[in-house]
Amino acid sequence: MTFFRRPAVAILVLSAAVNSWAASPWLPAPGKLTVIETYSNDTFTHYYPGALRGTLPAPYDQFTFTTDIEYGLRRNLTLDLETGHTKTFFRGNTLGGISDSLIGLRWQVHNGERVVFTVRGAGIIKGTYDLTHLSNFSPGEKASGGLGSGILGVALPHNFFAFAESGYRIRSHPVPQDFFGNVGGGYHIKGFAFTSDYQTSRSINGTDIRGTVPKFAPPYFVAALFPATKKIFGAVDSGIVYSLRSGLSLGFSSSTILHGRNVGKKQIFAFSVGYTFPGRGPHF
Amino acid sequence: MKKALAFCVLATLAVPLPGSGPYSPVRVNFARDDRYERGRSLFAGEVKMGDGTYCAACHSKNIPLDRKKLQSVQPDLQRKVEDCIHNPDRVNGTAKQSDMEALAYYLAKRYRL
């Protein structure tokens, strides 16, 4: 809690991390540097233990500051860094620290008039937060690894556009491997961009919770297995970004987890402020 | 009874929550590359290059461009673009080297040369 009461300290630790698995198929021009600061709040009371539904006695909250940096190395190559600081709150308990960070490259292998296709690879560096093996509010899985994906972008007539991503993520044992992806569309006009998409992540292995009630004793599920839990979710995101000619951008997005397994039915709100150096305009 | 109640409380509290860290919405930054956009705006006349007409005024209807035609002049495309811009009967203007390149780049991409 102290972290959020001290803005100065908060700014100092903004160089920490967040789990954003999705990325844009459109790349910044070479030499352009964009920095985006995002503040997000995840909250839920309902959750899906295995195939069941449950309700927590109190809401679970997670607050995260994220810093995203992208730099156009070449016309078809971009360097990405994502890091942040996250903190969870549940019934008076709290855990926090630098969240899992990403550093990666996006390579645009096709850049047509309307269609772009980009491949992405990123390394995941585990965060500094503590994991709890006794309760249920760890800020993440604290695991290093890597991910790879292919991202498609299509410019449609009348200022519409569409995008889709499909990827695979591998992290250190015992965290399961995941397939992830999204498909969505958007509309842009006069500096405003509206997007909406469906996003999913599906563990292909890991420990599931079975039975009518979770069993927390060997050989069944035990609390220490939290990071190893198989997780599946599908969510819908909606967002709006306003970009000024100066390079400044302001964004808001909301997301809802619609269905899942071994996950919370989260509601997420995020505010972002970004700045692009050296600003918009021809740069070639 | 107490044991059952304790178990229920424990089961409720110990269910694994998302655990995969904070959820992050998809963030897509739709942006065509600057050179393409510059070339398109020059071609469409959104940015004026001279006192005469603009590229699309001729090349959309009167002298329409097509892939075959452009492919035949592709090695010399930028010079053709320059001629068009300097011609007093056409654009009647001038353009920076980067704008010439942007126009040629736009045409090459637009017509998949």
Side-chain angles (χ1 to χ4, degrees), chain A residues 19 24 42 60 68 111-113 136 139-141 188 199 209 226 231 237 281, chain B residues 13-21 23 26-27 29-30 32 34 36 109-110:
Chain A
N19 298 342
S24 177
D42 301 27
Y60 166 101
D68 287 277
N111 181 8
E113 191 195 10
N136 54 356
E141 282 141 348
H188 69 100
Q199 179 175 193
I209 298 174
F226 286 144
K231 299 171 194 72
D237 308 319
Chain B
L13 296 182
V15 161
L17 302 182
S20 50
Y23 178 86
V26 173
R27 178 164 39 222
N29 179 23
F30 174 73
R32 281 207 175 117
D34 293 337
Y36 176 91
K109 206 164 184 180
R110 174 74 183 83

PDB file of all heavy atoms in Angstrom, chain A residues 19 24 42 60 68 111-113 136 139-141 188 199 209 226 231 237 281, chain B residues 13-21 23 26-27 29-30 32 34 36 109-110:
ATOM      1  N   ASN A  19       2.582  -8.655 -17.850  1.00  0.00           N
ATOM      2  CA  ASN A  19       2.364  -9.734 -18.804  1.00  0.00           C
ATOM      3  C   ASN A  19       1.417  -9.313 -19.906  1.00  0.00           C
ATOM      4  O   ASN A  19       0.246  -9.613 -19.863  1.00  0.00           O
ATOM      5  CB  ASN A  19       1.763 -10.939 -18.095  1.00  0.00           C
ATOM      6  CG  ASN A  19       2.695 -11.475 -17.056  1.00  0.00           C
ATOM      7  OD1 ASN A  19       3.870 -11.185 -17.075  1.00  0.00           O
ATOM      8  ND2 ASN A  19       2.178 -12.258 -16.153  1.00  0.00           N
ATOM      9  N   SER A  24       1.336  -5.460 -31.701  1.00  0.00           N
ATOM     10  CA  SER A  24       0.788  -4.866 -32.916  1.00  0.00           C
ATOM     11  C   SER A  24       1.549  -5.352 -34.150  1.00  0.00           C
ATOM     12  O   SER A  24       2.779  -5.425 -34.138  1.00  0.00           O
ATOM     13  CB  SER A  24       0.885  -3.344 -32.820  1.00  0.00           C
ATOM     14  OG  SER A  24       0.418  -2.762 -34.012  1.00  0.00           O
ATOM     15  N   ASP A  42      -7.069  -4.749 -12.106  1.00  0.00           N
ATOM     16  CA  ASP A  42      -7.787  -6.007 -12.321  1.00  0.00           C
ATOM     17  C   ASP A  42      -8.588  -6.287 -11.053  1.00  0.00           C
ATOM     18  O   ASP A  42      -8.041  -6.195  -9.954  1.00  0.00           O
ATOM     19  CB  ASP A  42      -6.824  -7.182 -12.489  1.00  0.00           C
ATOM     20  CG  ASP A  42      -5.854  -7.012 -13.646  1.00  0.00           C
ATOM     21  OD1 ASP A  42      -5.541  -5.879 -14.005  1.00  0.00           O
ATOM     22  OD2 ASP A  42      -5.397  -8.044 -14.156  1.00  0.00           O
ATOM     23  N   TYR A  60     -10.930  -9.448  -5.100  1.00  0.00           N
ATOM     24  CA  TYR A  60      -9.486  -9.538  -5.291  1.00  0.00           C
ATOM     25  C   TYR A  60      -9.094  -8.386  -6.202  1.00  0.00           C
ATOM     26  O   TYR A  60      -9.749  -8.152  -7.221  1.00  0.00           O
ATOM     27  CB  TYR A  60      -9.172 -10.878  -5.941  1.00  0.00           C
ATOM     28  CG  TYR A  60      -7.787 -11.033  -6.512  1.00  0.00           C
ATOM     29  CD1 TYR A  60      -6.798 -11.736  -5.823  1.00  0.00           C
ATOM     30  CD2 TYR A  60      -7.476 -10.524  -7.765  1.00  0.00           C
ATOM     31  CE1 TYR A  60      -5.546 -11.901  -6.362  1.00  0.00           C
ATOM     32  CE2 TYR A  60      -6.216 -10.684  -8.309  1.00  0.00           C
ATOM     33  CZ  TYR A  60      -5.258 -11.370  -7.608  1.00  0.00           C
ATOM     34  OH  TYR A  60      -4.019 -11.534  -8.141  1.00  0.00           O
ATOM     35  N   ASP A  68       5.932   0.498 -21.395  1.00  0.00           N
ATOM     36  CA  ASP A  68       6.213  -0.145 -22.681  1.00  0.00           C
ATOM     37  C   ASP A  68       7.111   0.778 -23.481  1.00  0.00           C
ATOM     38  O   ASP A  68       6.825   1.967 -23.612  1.00  0.00           O
ATOM     39  CB  ASP A  68       4.926  -0.338 -23.482  1.00  0.00           C
ATOM     40  CG  ASP A  68       4.082  -1.439 -22.911  1.00  0.00           C
ATOM     41  OD1 ASP A  68       4.349  -2.600 -23.234  1.00  0.00           O
ATOM     42  OD2 ASP A  68       3.159  -1.124 -22.143  1.00  0.00           O
ATOM     43  N   ASN A 111       4.930  -6.559 -45.991  1.00  0.00           N
ATOM     44  CA  ASN A 111       4.391  -5.219 -45.834  1.00  0.00           C
ATOM     45  C   ASN A 111       3.729  -4.807 -47.138  1.00  0.00           C
ATOM     46  O   ASN A 111       4.310  -4.129 -47.966  1.00  0.00           O
ATOM     47  CB  ASN A 111       5.519  -4.244 -45.454  1.00  0.00           C
ATOM     48  CG  ASN A 111       5.020  -2.835 -45.255  1.00  0.00           C
ATOM     49  OD1 ASN A 111       3.803  -2.594 -45.251  1.00  0.00           O
ATOM     50  ND2 ASN A 111       5.941  -1.898 -45.092  1.00  0.00           N
ATOM     51  N   GLY A 112       2.520  -5.286 -47.332  1.00  0.00           N
ATOM     52  CA  GLY A 112       1.777  -4.955 -48.533  1.00  0.00           C
ATOM     53  C   GLY A 112       1.011  -3.671 -48.368  1.00  0.00           C
ATOM     54  O   GLY A 112       1.083  -3.014 -47.323  1.00  0.00           O
ATOM     55  N   GLU A 113       0.266  -3.313 -49.397  1.00  0.00           N
ATOM     56  CA  GLU A 113      -0.490  -2.065 -49.288  1.00  0.00           C
ATOM     57  C   GLU A 113      -1.551  -2.157 -48.204  1.00  0.00           C
ATOM     58  O   GLU A 113      -1.779  -1.218 -47.461  1.00  0.00           O
ATOM     59  CB  GLU A 113      -1.151  -1.717 -50.621  1.00  0.00           C
ATOM     60  CG  GLU A 113      -1.708  -0.314 -50.593  1.00  0.00           C
ATOM     61  CD  GLU A 113      -2.667  -0.043 -51.726  1.00  0.00           C
ATOM     62  OE1 GLU A 113      -3.054  -0.975 -52.421  1.00  0.00           O
ATOM     63  OE2 GLU A 113      -3.025   1.126 -51.897  1.00  0.00           O
ATOM     64  N   ASN A 136      -3.845 -17.359  -2.147  1.00  0.00           N
ATOM     65  CA  ASN A 136      -4.216 -17.353  -3.553  1.00  0.00           C
ATOM     66  C   ASN A 136      -4.038 -16.012  -4.243  1.00  0.00           C
ATOM     67  O   ASN A 136      -4.748 -15.718  -5.180  1.00  0.00           O
ATOM     68  CB  ASN A 136      -5.673 -17.774  -3.668  1.00  0.00           C
ATOM     69  CG  ASN A 136      -6.558 -16.906  -2.800  1.00  0.00           C
ATOM     70  OD1 ASN A 136      -6.044 -16.051  -2.082  1.00  0.00           O
ATOM     71  ND2 ASN A 136      -7.848 -17.104  -2.875  1.00  0.00           N
ATOM     72  N   PRO A 139       1.028 -12.277  -7.409  1.00  0.00           N
ATOM     73  CA  PRO A 139       0.886 -11.308  -8.503  1.00  0.00           C
ATOM     74  C   PRO A 139       1.149 -11.908  -9.884  1.00  0.00           C
ATOM     75  O   PRO A 139       0.901 -11.278 -10.890  1.00  0.00           O
ATOM     76  CB  PRO A 139       1.953 -10.257  -8.177  1.00  0.00           C
ATOM     77  CG  PRO A 139       2.288 -10.456  -6.753  1.00  0.00           C
ATOM     78  CD  PRO A 139       2.110 -11.913  -6.496  1.00  0.00           C
ATOM     79  N   GLY A 140       1.690 -13.112  -9.925  1.00  0.00           N
ATOM     80  CA  GLY A 140       1.979 -13.743 -11.211  1.00  0.00           C
ATOM     81  C   GLY A 140       2.575 -15.109 -10.959  1.00  0.00           C
ATOM     82  O   GLY A 140       2.504 -15.631  -9.842  1.00  0.00           O
ATOM     83  N   GLU A 141       3.193 -15.661 -11.986  1.00  0.00           N
ATOM     84  CA  GLU A 141       3.768 -16.995 -11.816  1.00  0.00           C
ATOM     85  C   GLU A 141       5.273 -16.966 -11.604  1.00  0.00           C
ATOM     86  O   GLU A 141       5.885 -17.987 -11.356  1.00  0.00           O
ATOM     87  CB  GLU A 141       3.414 -17.857 -13.031  1.00  0.00           C
ATOM     88  CG  GLU A 141       1.994 -18.357 -12.935  1.00  0.00           C
ATOM     89  CD  GLU A 141       1.289 -18.362 -14.259  1.00  0.00           C
ATOM     90  OE1 GLU A 141       1.811 -17.775 -15.221  1.00  0.00           O
ATOM     91  OE2 GLU A 141       0.193 -18.926 -14.338  1.00  0.00           O
ATOM     92  N   HIS A 188     -10.346   4.017 -37.220  1.00  0.00           N
ATOM     93  CA  HIS A 188      -9.588   5.209 -36.835  1.00  0.00           C
ATOM     94  C   HIS A 188     -10.072   6.427 -37.617  1.00  0.00           C
ATOM     95  O   HIS A 188     -10.404   6.337 -38.801  1.00  0.00           O
ATOM     96  CB  HIS A 188      -8.087   5.005 -37.067  1.00  0.00           C
ATOM     97  CG  HIS A 188      -7.694   4.920 -38.514  1.00  0.00           C
ATOM     98  ND1 HIS A 188      -7.163   5.984 -39.214  1.00  0.00           N
ATOM     99  CD2 HIS A 188      -7.772   3.900 -39.394  1.00  0.00           C
ATOM    100  CE1 HIS A 188      -6.930   5.617 -40.452  1.00  0.00           C
ATOM    101  NE2 HIS A 188      -7.283   4.357 -40.595  1.00  0.00           N
ATOM    102  N   GLN A 199      -9.670 -12.168 -26.985  1.00  0.00           N
ATOM    103  CA  GLN A 199      -8.340 -12.661 -26.664  1.00  0.00           C
ATOM    104  C   GLN A 199      -8.457 -13.960 -25.859  1.00  0.00           C
ATOM    105  O   GLN A 199      -9.322 -14.066 -24.991  1.00  0.00           O
ATOM    106  CB  GLN A 199      -7.593 -11.603 -25.840  1.00  0.00           C
ATOM    107  CG  GLN A 199      -6.223 -12.015 -25.421  1.00  0.00           C
ATOM    108  CD  GLN A 199      -5.412 -10.934 -24.705  1.00  0.00           C
ATOM    109  OE1 GLN A 199      -4.223 -11.085 -24.532  1.00  0.00           O
ATOM    110  NE2 GLN A 199      -6.048  -9.854 -24.283  1.00  0.00           N
ATOM    111  N   ILE A 209      -7.800 -28.530 -11.646  1.00  0.00           N
ATOM    112  CA  ILE A 209      -8.568 -28.803 -10.429  1.00  0.00           C
ATOM    113  C   ILE A 209      -9.782 -29.618 -10.843  1.00  0.00           C
ATOM    114  O   ILE A 209     -10.532 -29.194 -11.727  1.00  0.00           O
ATOM    115  CB  ILE A 209      -8.998 -27.501  -9.745  1.00  0.00           C
ATOM    116  CG1 ILE A 209      -7.755 -26.726  -9.334  1.00  0.00           C
ATOM    117  CG2 ILE A 209      -9.859 -27.796  -8.542  1.00  0.00           C
ATOM    118  CD1 ILE A 209      -8.066 -25.367  -8.796  1.00  0.00           C
ATOM    119  N   PHE A 226       0.008 -23.642  -7.274  1.00  0.00           N
ATOM    120  CA  PHE A 226      -0.622 -22.494  -7.951  1.00  0.00           C
ATOM    121  C   PHE A 226       0.075 -22.111  -9.254  1.00  0.00           C
ATOM    122  O   PHE A 226      -0.574 -21.980 -10.281  1.00  0.00           O
ATOM    123  CB  PHE A 226      -0.668 -21.281  -7.022  1.00  0.00           C
ATOM    124  CG  PHE A 226      -1.700 -21.387  -5.945  1.00  0.00           C
ATOM    125  CD1 PHE A 226      -1.449 -20.876  -4.688  1.00  0.00           C
ATOM    126  CD2 PHE A 226      -2.921 -21.980  -6.189  1.00  0.00           C
ATOM    127  CE1 PHE A 226      -2.394 -20.965  -3.684  1.00  0.00           C
ATOM    128  CE2 PHE A 226      -3.869 -22.079  -5.196  1.00  0.00           C
ATOM    129  CZ  PHE A 226      -3.604 -21.579  -3.934  1.00  0.00           C
ATOM    130  N   LYS A 231      -4.434 -22.993 -16.948  1.00  0.00           N
ATOM    131  CA  LYS A 231      -5.378 -21.873 -16.983  1.00  0.00           C
ATOM    132  C   LYS A 231      -5.876 -21.643 -18.404  1.00  0.00           C
ATOM    133  O   LYS A 231      -5.091 -21.660 -19.356  1.00  0.00           O
ATOM    134  CB  LYS A 231      -4.727 -20.591 -16.468  1.00  0.00           C
ATOM    135  CG  LYS A 231      -4.255 -20.691 -15.040  1.00  0.00           C
ATOM    136  CD  LYS A 231      -3.440 -19.485 -14.642  1.00  0.00           C
ATOM    137  CE  LYS A 231      -2.702 -19.769 -13.361  1.00  0.00           C
ATOM    138  NZ  LYS A 231      -1.577 -20.712 -13.541  1.00  0.00           N
ATOM    139  N   ASP A 237     -11.806  -7.336 -25.162  1.00  0.00           N
ATOM    140  CA  ASP A 237     -11.195  -6.033 -24.882  1.00  0.00           C
ATOM    141  C   ASP A 237     -11.847  -4.949 -25.733  1.00  0.00           C
ATOM    142  O   ASP A 237     -12.186  -5.192 -26.891  1.00  0.00           O
ATOM    143  CB  ASP A 237      -9.698  -6.026 -25.241  1.00  0.00           C
ATOM    144  CG  ASP A 237      -8.932  -7.181 -24.621  1.00  0.00           C
ATOM    145  OD1 ASP A 237      -9.203  -7.488 -23.462  1.00  0.00           O
ATOM    146  OD2 ASP A 237      -8.074  -7.753 -25.320  1.00  0.00           O
ATOM    147  N   GLY A 281       5.262  12.335 -38.467  1.00  0.00           N
ATOM    148  CA  GLY A 281       5.757  13.031 -39.639  1.00  0.00           C
ATOM    149  C   GLY A 281       6.715  12.153 -40.410  1.00  0.00           C
ATOM    150  O   GLY A 281       7.149  11.118 -39.901  1.00  0.00           O
TER     151      GLY A 281
ATOM    152  N   LEU B  13     -10.683 -19.933  -0.211  1.00  0.00           N
ATOM    153  CA  LEU B  13      -9.547 -19.017  -0.226  1.00  0.00           C
ATOM    154  C   LEU B  13      -8.386 -19.534  -1.056  1.00  0.00           C
ATOM    155  O   LEU B  13      -7.596 -18.758  -1.590  1.00  0.00           O
ATOM    156  CB  LEU B  13      -9.069 -18.742   1.196  1.00  0.00           C
ATOM    157  CG  LEU B  13     -10.077 -18.031   2.085  1.00  0.00           C
ATOM    158  CD1 LEU B  13      -9.465 -17.782   3.447  1.00  0.00           C
ATOM    159  CD2 LEU B  13     -10.499 -16.713   1.450  1.00  0.00           C
ATOM    160  N   ALA B  14      -8.270 -20.840  -1.137  1.00  0.00           N
ATOM    161  CA  ALA B  14      -7.065 -21.387  -1.752  1.00  0.00           C
ATOM    162  C   ALA B  14      -7.227 -21.709  -3.229  1.00  0.00           C
ATOM    163  O   ALA B  14      -6.325 -22.238  -3.841  1.00  0.00           O
ATOM    164  CB  ALA B  14      -6.624 -22.621  -1.000  1.00  0.00           C
ATOM    165  N   VAL B  15      -8.339 -21.406  -3.775  1.00  0.00           N
ATOM    166  CA  VAL B  15      -8.506 -21.645  -5.217  1.00  0.00           C
ATOM    167  C   VAL B  15      -7.496 -20.808  -5.991  1.00  0.00           C
ATOM    168  O   VAL B  15      -7.294 -19.647  -5.676  1.00  0.00           O
ATOM    169  CB  VAL B  15      -9.939 -21.269  -5.634  1.00  0.00           C
ATOM    170  CG1 VAL B  15     -10.009 -21.056  -7.119  1.00  0.00           C
ATOM    171  CG2 VAL B  15     -10.889 -22.372  -5.222  1.00  0.00           C
ATOM    172  N   PRO B  16      -6.849 -21.375  -6.975  1.00  0.00           N
ATOM    173  CA  PRO B  16      -5.865 -20.602  -7.714  1.00  0.00           C
ATOM    174  C   PRO B  16      -6.535 -19.505  -8.538  1.00  0.00           C
ATOM    175  O   PRO B  16      -7.402 -19.789  -9.337  1.00  0.00           O
ATOM    176  CB  PRO B  16      -5.202 -21.635  -8.628  1.00  0.00           C
ATOM    177  CG  PRO B  16      -6.193 -22.728  -8.738  1.00  0.00           C
ATOM    178  CD  PRO B  16      -6.972 -22.737  -7.476  1.00  0.00           C
ATOM    179  N   LEU B  17      -6.141 -18.329  -8.305  1.00  0.00           N
ATOM    180  CA  LEU B  17      -6.674 -17.210  -9.065  1.00  0.00           C
ATOM    181  C   LEU B  17      -5.876 -17.105 -10.338  1.00  0.00           C
ATOM    182  O   LEU B  17      -4.997 -17.933 -10.576  1.00  0.00           O
ATOM    183  CB  LEU B  17      -6.598 -15.971  -8.188  1.00  0.00           C
ATOM    184  CG  LEU B  17      -7.374 -16.167  -6.890  1.00  0.00           C
ATOM    185  CD1 LEU B  17      -7.330 -14.927  -6.053  1.00  0.00           C
ATOM    186  CD2 LEU B  17      -8.790 -16.582  -7.153  1.00  0.00           C
ATOM    187  N   PRO B  18      -6.117 -16.132 -11.190  1.00  0.00           N
ATOM    188  CA  PRO B  18      -5.458 -16.147 -12.484  1.00  0.00           C
ATOM    189  C   PRO B  18      -3.972 -16.432 -12.385  1.00  0.00           C
ATOM    190  O   PRO B  18      -3.448 -17.201 -13.166  1.00  0.00           O
ATOM    191  CB  PRO B  18      -5.701 -14.749 -13.023  1.00  0.00           C
ATOM    192  CG  PRO B  18      -6.986 -14.373 -12.420  1.00  0.00           C
ATOM    193  CD  PRO B  18      -6.979 -14.976 -11.046  1.00  0.00           C
ATOM    194  N   GLY B  19      -3.331 -15.853 -11.432  1.00  0.00           N
ATOM    195  CA  GLY B  19      -1.955 -16.235 -11.174  1.00  0.00           C
ATOM    196  C   GLY B  19      -0.998 -15.964 -12.299  1.00  0.00           C
ATOM    197  O   GLY B  19       0.208 -16.063 -12.132  1.00  0.00           O
ATOM    198  N   SER B  20      -1.515 -15.680 -13.468  1.00  0.00           N
ATOM    199  CA  SER B  20      -0.630 -15.462 -14.614  1.00  0.00           C
ATOM    200  C   SER B  20      -0.278 -13.992 -14.712  1.00  0.00           C
ATOM    201  O   SER B  20       0.073 -13.499 -15.765  1.00  0.00           O
ATOM    202  CB  SER B  20      -1.296 -15.936 -15.890  1.00  0.00           C
ATOM    203  OG  SER B  20      -2.583 -15.399 -15.993  1.00  0.00           O
ATOM    204  N   GLY B  21      -0.407 -13.302 -13.624  1.00  0.00           N
ATOM    205  CA  GLY B  21      -0.045 -11.893 -13.622  1.00  0.00           C
ATOM    206  C   GLY B  21      -1.193 -11.026 -14.042  1.00  0.00           C
ATOM    207  O   GLY B  21      -2.273 -11.512 -14.337  1.00  0.00           O
ATOM    208  N   TYR B  23      -3.720  -8.975 -16.116  1.00  0.00           N
ATOM    209  CA  TYR B  23      -4.238  -9.121 -17.478  1.00  0.00           C
ATOM    210  C   TYR B  23      -3.894  -7.868 -18.271  1.00  0.00           C
ATOM    211  O   TYR B  23      -3.937  -6.760 -17.751  1.00  0.00           O
ATOM    212  CB  TYR B  23      -5.747  -9.296 -17.425  1.00  0.00           C
ATOM    213  CG  TYR B  23      -6.382  -9.396 -18.786  1.00  0.00           C
ATOM    214  CD1 TYR B  23      -6.464 -10.615 -19.436  1.00  0.00           C
ATOM    215  CD2 TYR B  23      -6.888  -8.268 -19.419  1.00  0.00           C
ATOM    216  CE1 TYR B  23      -7.035 -10.710 -20.683  1.00  0.00           C
ATOM    217  CE2 TYR B  23      -7.460  -8.354 -20.675  1.00  0.00           C
ATOM    218  CZ  TYR B  23      -7.533  -9.577 -21.297  1.00  0.00           C
ATOM    219  OH  TYR B  23      -8.099  -9.662 -22.547  1.00  0.00           O
ATOM    220  N   VAL B  26      -5.245  -6.299 -25.474  1.00  0.00           N
ATOM    221  CA  VAL B  26      -4.512  -6.202 -26.740  1.00  0.00           C
ATOM    222  C   VAL B  26      -4.321  -4.722 -27.067  1.00  0.00           C
ATOM    223  O   VAL B  26      -5.259  -3.933 -26.944  1.00  0.00           O
ATOM    224  CB  VAL B  26      -5.306  -6.884 -27.876  1.00  0.00           C
ATOM    225  CG1 VAL B  26      -4.641  -6.643 -29.218  1.00  0.00           C
ATOM    226  CG2 VAL B  26      -5.432  -8.370 -27.600  1.00  0.00           C
ATOM    227  N   ARG B  27      -3.111  -4.368 -27.447  1.00  0.00           N
ATOM    228  CA  ARG B  27      -2.870  -2.971 -27.842  1.00  0.00           C
ATOM    229  C   ARG B  27      -2.314  -2.980 -29.264  1.00  0.00           C
ATOM    230  O   ARG B  27      -1.183  -3.396 -29.490  1.00  0.00           O
ATOM    231  CB  ARG B  27      -1.901  -2.292 -26.900  1.00  0.00           C
ATOM    232  CG  ARG B  27      -1.611  -0.863 -27.330  1.00  0.00           C
ATOM    233  CD  ARG B  27      -0.976  -0.013 -26.266  1.00  0.00           C
ATOM    234  NE  ARG B  27       0.000  -0.709 -25.490  1.00  0.00           N
ATOM    235  CZ  ARG B  27       0.113  -0.603 -24.179  1.00  0.00           C
ATOM    236  NH1 ARG B  27      -0.695   0.149 -23.496  1.00  0.00           N
ATOM    237  NH2 ARG B  27       1.049  -1.258 -23.523  1.00  0.00           N
ATOM    238  N   ASN B  29      -1.475  -0.741 -32.572  1.00  0.00           N
ATOM    239  CA  ASN B  29      -1.251   0.621 -33.044  1.00  0.00           C
ATOM    240  C   ASN B  29      -1.309   0.619 -34.565  1.00  0.00           C
ATOM    241  O   ASN B  29      -0.334   0.312 -35.228  1.00  0.00           O
ATOM    242  CB  ASN B  29       0.118   1.106 -32.552  1.00  0.00           C
ATOM    243  CG  ASN B  29       0.415   2.500 -33.026  1.00  0.00           C
ATOM    244  OD1 ASN B  29      -0.508   3.258 -33.347  1.00  0.00           O
ATOM    245  ND2 ASN B  29       1.682   2.841 -33.103  1.00  0.00           N
ATOM    246  N   PHE B  30      -2.497   0.926 -35.091  1.00  0.00           N
ATOM    247  CA  PHE B  30      -2.653   0.902 -36.542  1.00  0.00           C
ATOM    248  C   PHE B  30      -1.934   2.105 -37.144  1.00  0.00           C
ATOM    249  O   PHE B  30      -2.251   3.243 -36.845  1.00  0.00           O
ATOM    250  CB  PHE B  30      -4.126   0.949 -36.926  1.00  0.00           C
ATOM    251  CG  PHE B  30      -4.334   1.069 -38.409  1.00  0.00           C
ATOM    252  CD1 PHE B  30      -4.089  -0.010 -39.235  1.00  0.00           C
ATOM    253  CD2 PHE B  30      -4.737   2.257 -38.984  1.00  0.00           C
ATOM    254  CE1 PHE B  30      -4.245   0.089 -40.609  1.00  0.00           C
ATOM    255  CE2 PHE B  30      -4.905   2.378 -40.347  1.00  0.00           C
ATOM    256  CZ  PHE B  30      -4.657   1.292 -41.163  1.00  0.00           C
ATOM    257  N   ARG B  32       0.046   2.933 -41.004  1.00  0.00           N
ATOM    258  CA  ARG B  32       0.791   2.607 -42.211  1.00  0.00           C
ATOM    259  C   ARG B  32       2.118   3.333 -42.129  1.00  0.00           C
ATOM    260  O   ARG B  32       2.255   4.324 -41.412  1.00  0.00           O
ATOM    261  CB  ARG B  32       0.008   3.085 -43.422  1.00  0.00           C
ATOM    262  CG  ARG B  32      -1.124   2.168 -43.793  1.00  0.00           C
ATOM    263  CD  ARG B  32      -1.383   2.321 -45.274  1.00  0.00           C
ATOM    264  NE  ARG B  32      -2.383   1.388 -45.697  1.00  0.00           N
ATOM    265  CZ  ARG B  32      -3.551   1.753 -46.196  1.00  0.00           C
ATOM    266  NH1 ARG B  32      -3.836   3.030 -46.331  1.00  0.00           N
ATOM    267  NH2 ARG B  32      -4.414   0.864 -46.579  1.00  0.00           N
ATOM    268  N   ASP B  34       5.146   5.786 -42.779  1.00  0.00           N
ATOM    269  CA  ASP B  34       5.120   7.216 -43.099  1.00  0.00           C
ATOM    270  C   ASP B  34       5.380   7.492 -44.568  1.00  0.00           C
ATOM    271  O   ASP B  34       4.784   8.390 -45.164  1.00  0.00           O
ATOM    272  CB  ASP B  34       6.166   7.961 -42.263  1.00  0.00           C
ATOM    273  CG  ASP B  34       5.802   7.956 -40.794  1.00  0.00           C
ATOM    274  OD1 ASP B  34       4.611   7.795 -40.496  1.00  0.00           O
ATOM    275  OD2 ASP B  34       6.705   8.121 -39.968  1.00  0.00           O
ATOM    276  N   TYR B  36       4.770   5.625 -47.156  1.00  0.00           N
ATOM    277  CA  TYR B  36       3.577   5.298 -47.937  1.00  0.00           C
ATOM    278  C   TYR B  36       2.536   6.407 -47.796  1.00  0.00           C
ATOM    279  O   TYR B  36       1.946   6.862 -48.781  1.00  0.00           O
ATOM    280  CB  TYR B  36       2.999   3.963 -47.458  1.00  0.00           C
ATOM    281  CG  TYR B  36       1.712   3.581 -48.143  1.00  0.00           C
ATOM    282  CD1 TYR B  36       1.712   2.809 -49.297  1.00  0.00           C
ATOM    283  CD2 TYR B  36       0.494   4.013 -47.641  1.00  0.00           C
ATOM    284  CE1 TYR B  36       0.534   2.482 -49.937  1.00  0.00           C
ATOM    285  CE2 TYR B  36      -0.695   3.686 -48.262  1.00  0.00           C
ATOM    286  CZ  TYR B  36      -0.674   2.919 -49.412  1.00  0.00           C
ATOM    287  OH  TYR B  36      -1.854   2.604 -50.040  1.00  0.00           O
ATOM    288  N   LYS B 109       4.032   0.199 -54.207  1.00  0.00           N
ATOM    289  CA  LYS B 109       3.273  -0.598 -53.255  1.00  0.00           C
ATOM    290  C   LYS B 109       1.814  -0.743 -53.677  1.00  0.00           C
ATOM    291  O   LYS B 109       1.221  -1.817 -53.588  1.00  0.00           O
ATOM    292  CB  LYS B 109       3.345   0.086 -51.892  1.00  0.00           C
ATOM    293  CG  LYS B 109       3.179  -0.858 -50.759  1.00  0.00           C
ATOM    294  CD  LYS B 109       3.651  -0.203 -49.495  1.00  0.00           C
ATOM    295  CE  LYS B 109       3.576  -1.187 -48.376  1.00  0.00           C
ATOM    296  NZ  LYS B 109       4.010  -0.607 -47.128  1.00  0.00           N
ATOM    297  N   ARG B 110       1.286   0.387 -54.163  1.00  0.00           N
ATOM    298  CA  ARG B 110      -0.130   0.404 -54.555  1.00  0.00           C
ATOM    299  C   ARG B 110      -0.386  -0.573 -55.694  1.00  0.00           C
ATOM    300  O   ARG B 110      -1.409  -1.247 -55.735  1.00  0.00           O
ATOM    301  CB  ARG B 110      -0.492   1.839 -54.974  1.00  0.00           C
ATOM    302  CG  ARG B 110      -1.871   2.021 -55.545  1.00  0.00           C
ATOM    303  CD  ARG B 110      -2.920   1.955 -54.450  1.00  0.00           C
ATOM    304  NE  ARG B 110      -4.259   2.055 -54.982  1.00  0.00           N
ATOM    305  CZ  ARG B 110      -4.935   1.021 -55.473  1.00  0.00           C
ATOM    306  NH1 ARG B 110      -4.392  -0.163 -55.517  1.00  0.00           N
ATOM    307  NH2 ARG B 110      -6.171   1.174 -55.925  1.00  0.00           N
TER     308      ARG B 110
END
